[in-house]
Amino acid sequence: TAELIKTFGPDSMIGRMASTIQGSTDTTLYVLTVYFGAIGIRRSRYALKVGLFSDLVGFIAAIIICLYVFG
């Protein structure tokens, strides 16, 4: 995201999309490692699959929202 903002600028469509996408998909692995590790969950079953699927949905939603709001 930092490289895209540095290259295209923070007010460009690419900069806005990159920031929105990062904000919407940033926590999946953090939640799996920190929260699950803190309480000792060893078998997370479908947590990774659901987390990655929600990242995909967040990615698509970020693009649609940026195009609607800024485009």
Side-chain angles (χ1 to χ4, degrees):
T1 301
E3 290 294 322
L4 288 173
I5 290 174
K6 191 182 296 184
T7 303
F8 296 103
D11 293 330
S12 68
M13 182 62 77
I14 293 174
R16 289 176 176 167
M17 278 192 192
S19 297
T20 307
I21 289 168
Q22 182 179 1
S24 67
T25 61
D26 198 29
T27 60
T28 298
L29 296 177
Y30 179 81
V31 167
L32 288 176
T33 56
V34 174
Y35 293 153
F36 283 12
I39 58 176
I41 294 177
R42 297 282 182 235
R43 294 180 50 203
S44 58
R45 290 194 181 218
Y46 300 107
L48 180 61
K49 291 177 186 177
V50 171
L52 292 176
F53 179 72
S54 66
D55 283 345
L56 177 66
V57 171
F59 181 79
I60 294 168
I63 292 172
I64 292 169
I65 290 169
C66 281
L67 289 175
Y68 179 74
V69 171
F70 302 117

